[in-house]
Amino acid sequence: MSQTRTETEQYLANNSAYAATFEGPLPLPPARHTAVLACMDARLNVYGVLGLAEGDSHVIRNAGGVATDDAIRSLAISQRLLGTREIILIHHTDCGMLTFSDDGFRESIREETGIKPPWAAEAFADLETDVRQSAARIKSSPFVPHTDQVRGFVFDVATGKLDEVVL
Amino acid sequence: MSQTRTETEQYLANNSAYAATFEGPLPLPPARHTAVLACMDARLNVYGVLGLAEGDSHVIRNAGGVATDDAIRSLAISQRLLGTREIILIHHTDCGMLTFSDDGFRESIREETGIKPPWAAEAFADLETDVRQSAARIKSSPFVPHTDQVRGFVFDVATGKLDEVVL
């Protein structure tokens, strides 16, 4: 490959191969009525880890897999408009969110840009505690109607296994 | 399968098969220095569509694939702490976000629960316009330092192809 070719362009070449054998369209509502909220981490391939196929499940991801207001927005749309009923939370070992503090991250941005972000970074000190925090935020939200099937897991980046967190 | 078995439990059975051939751990920073921001839609398998392997790229997803403040938070962490440099935006055809309005969604929640969400639903009327809106939000953010490689696409749920949006 040429030195000036971006990763994005290489992904686009992969897309041609994907489309060549693609069969669609599938229905809009998720066939298995699930929504996954997971960390954005590159090692956490949610499709592989859960055996998801196209059309099965909504997948919501952000830094940490945290139940932020935006994740609540997505879950509200997922359940209220598209019929999902189960929620699966996935954090993972060796997470970057364990390596800094909200205060430190915001202050470093202020030092560099002169502007402190108006949002918290949502860093955390303990994986299981933060899975429980996300579950608690979802269960206490008036905007997410179905919370009897919320389960939380920590993905082990060394073994590929999901370990359940007692909520 | 038993009638009482949840989809989550079936996914956990899939996880055992995944872990059996899993090889890890990989490094924390994404090997290909990319971050994808895509819609949560069940038909949009980002790993398949882009040919992503474990460890390649951060994957951020929400309802619509919109550059919300929370997506900006994730992108800021991705670039500032974990070294990513390219951003790939993916919306898709037949998106649920085209089927309702922010006002209508918030009002329906108010009618049902008595509480109007403090957030906008981030619905949109045109796919390409909203891809451009997300790109513009990212490029104007003081918190995302590297915006020379931001590209936007619409995934066609009928063909599996990515169509680029001129930003």
Side-chain angles (χ1 to χ4, degrees):
Chain A
M1 80 195 143
S2 105
Q3 290 185 323
T4 56
R5 200 174 177 208
T6 62
E7 297 291 341
T8 302
E9 281 159 350
Q10 296 174 56
Y11 293 152
L12 293 177
N14 295 341
N15 178 241
S16 296
Y18 178 76
T21 61
F22 184 82
E23 294 183 10
L26 293 165
L28 171 54
R32 299 179 72 172
H33 310 290
T34 51
V36 177
L37 170 56
C39 184
M40 69 178 178
D41 190 271
R43 299 160 298 177
L44 176 47
N45 172 354
V46 172
Y47 291 81
V49 167
L50 298 176
L52 292 180
E54 280 80 348
D56 279 349
S57 180
H58 283 145
V59 180
I60 302 158
R61 302 183 65 172
N62 63 32
V66 177
T68 56
D69 280 353
D70 195 52
I72 296 287
R73 173 184 72 86
S74 297
L75 289 169
I77 291 168
S78 176
Q79 292 198 346
R80 290 176 174 274
L81 300 182
L82 293 164
T84 67
R85 292 294 177 266
E86 298 176 37
I87 295 173
I88 300 160
L89 307 175
I90 309 180
H91 283 35
H92 63 93
T93 59
D94 192 36
C95 186
M97 305 298 282
L98 295 162
T99 65
F100 63 93
S101 72
D102 280 12
D103 284 355
F105 185 67
R106 293 173 75 236
E107 181 61 16
S108 71
I109 291 181
R110 188 199 62 74
E111 284 175 3
E112 192 175 315
T113 69
I115 304 172
K116 188 180 278 191
W119 30 260
E122 299 282 359
F124 42 79
D126 182 83
L127 289 169
E128 297 204 351
T129 301
D130 201 72
V131 171
R132 290 190 197 100
Q133 172 64 212
S134 284
R137 286 183 184 179
I138 290 166
K139 290 184 179 185
S140 73
S141 171
F143 312 124
V144 181
H146 306 285
T147 58
D148 55 315
Q149 289 290 339
V150 178
R151 291 172 71 176
F153 302 89
V154 173
F155 173 73
D156 187 325
V157 300
T159 68
K161 289 183 184 169
L162 291 170
D163 294 312
E164 186 152 15
V165 177
V166 178
L167 299 179
Chain B
M1 81 197 142
S2 111
Q3 291 185 322
T4 56
R5 198 175 179 210
T6 62
E7 297 291 341
T8 303
E9 281 158 351
Q10 296 173 55
Y11 293 151
L12 293 177
N14 295 342
N15 179 241
S16 296
Y18 178 76
T21 60
F22 185 83
E23 293 183 12
L26 293 164
L28 170 54
R32 298 179 71 172
H33 309 290
T34 53
V36 178
L37 171 56
C39 183
M40 70 178 177
D41 190 272
R43 298 161 297 177
L44 176 47
N45 172 355
V46 173
Y47 292 81
V49 167
L50 298 177
L52 292 180
E54 281 80 348
D56 279 350
S57 181
H58 282 146
V59 181
I60 301 158
R61 302 183 65 173
N62 63 30
V66 178
T68 57
D69 280 354
D70 195 52
I72 296 287
R73 173 185 72 86
S74 297
L75 289 169
I77 291 169
S78 175
Q79 291 198 347
R80 289 176 174 276
L81 300 183
L82 294 164
T84 68
R85 292 294 177 266
E86 298 176 38
I87 296 174
I88 300 160
L89 307 176
I90 308 179
H91 284 34
H92 62 92
T93 59
D94 192 36
C95 186
M97 305 298 283
L98 296 162
T99 65
F100 63 93
S101 71
D102 281 12
D103 285 354
F105 185 67
R106 294 173 73 237
E107 181 61 16
S108 71
I109 292 181
R110 191 200 59 75
E111 284 175 4
E112 191 177 316
T113 69
I115 304 171
K116 187 180 279 190
W119 30 261
E122 297 283 0
F124 43 79
D126 181 82
L127 289 169
E128 296 203 353
T129 302
D130 202 72
V131 171
R132 289 190 197 101
Q133 171 63 214
S134 284
R137 286 183 183 178
I138 289 166
K139 290 184 178 184
S140 74
S141 171
F143 311 124
V144 181
H146 306 284
T147 58
D148 54 317
Q149 289 292 337
V150 178
R151 291 172 70 176
F153 302 89
V154 173
F155 173 73
D156 187 325
V157 299
T159 67
K161 289 183 185 168
L162 291 170
D163 294 312
E164 186 151 16
V165 177
V166 178
L167 301 180

